Amino acid sequence: PANDAVRVGVIGSGGRARHLMKSFPKLDGVRLTAVCDVWDAARAEGKKLADPRAAETKRYQDVLDNKDVDAVLIGAPDHWHVPLTVAACAAGKDVYVEKPLTHDLAEGKAVIDAVTAA
């Protein structure tokens, strides 16, 4: 993007996501600009690792609608990986999500279709 940094929003800031978030300060040109989790404690812990001005929300759609977010790190439970990836692609965001991405082949096609449509 035309920005001086890739601005990342985190959807699901539980243990694994926070482990990944700890590596972000080592990356040049990357800022954590939004943290989302339905659990208050997980969101608060994730917020501590993000930019001090980062948005904080319980609603993943708020992150996807946020113009200050270029990409998302999906750290939600496994059954949310496909729907969040598809929604993020539809919102024009780049996506990082870990395994398992899908649970069956139909979900894989939905992700491929979302990526190619983006």
Side-chain angles (χ1 to χ4, degrees):
N3 305 316
D4 59 344
V6 175
R7 302 165 301 179
V8 178
V10 178
I11 301 175
S13 57
R16 179 61 185 155
R18 287 196 308 270
H19 174 77
L20 294 169
M21 291 170 73
K22 290 177 185 173
S23 67
F24 278 60
K26 299 173 192 164
L27 302 172
D28 289 334
V30 178
R31 287 185 24 237
L32 293 170
T33 57
V35 178
C36 171
D37 203 293
V38 296
W39 290 50
D40 295 340
R43 191 175 60 257
E45 290 300 311
K47 178 77 162 120
K48 291 177 187 177
L49 299 170
D51 185 284
R53 299 175 310 248
E56 187 178 350
T57 184
K58 288 185 177 186
R59 297 184 58 237
Y60 75 86
Q61 193 62 49
D62 293 343
V63 175
L64 299 181
D65 292 341
N66 189 330
K67 302 287 187 229
D68 291 328
V69 173
D70 303 310
V72 294
L73 181 161
I74 298 174
D78 297 349
H79 65 279
W80 275 101
H81 288 181
V82 170
L84 290 173
T85 298
V86 169
C89 289
K93 309 298 184 191
D94 291 323
V95 178
Y96 176 85
V97 60
E98 292 194 331
K99 66 180 182 177
L101 174 57
T102 68
H103 290 99
D104 65 46
L105 293 176
E107 289 180 327
K109 181 170 180 350
V111 172
I112 291 168
D113 290 348
V115 169
T116 56

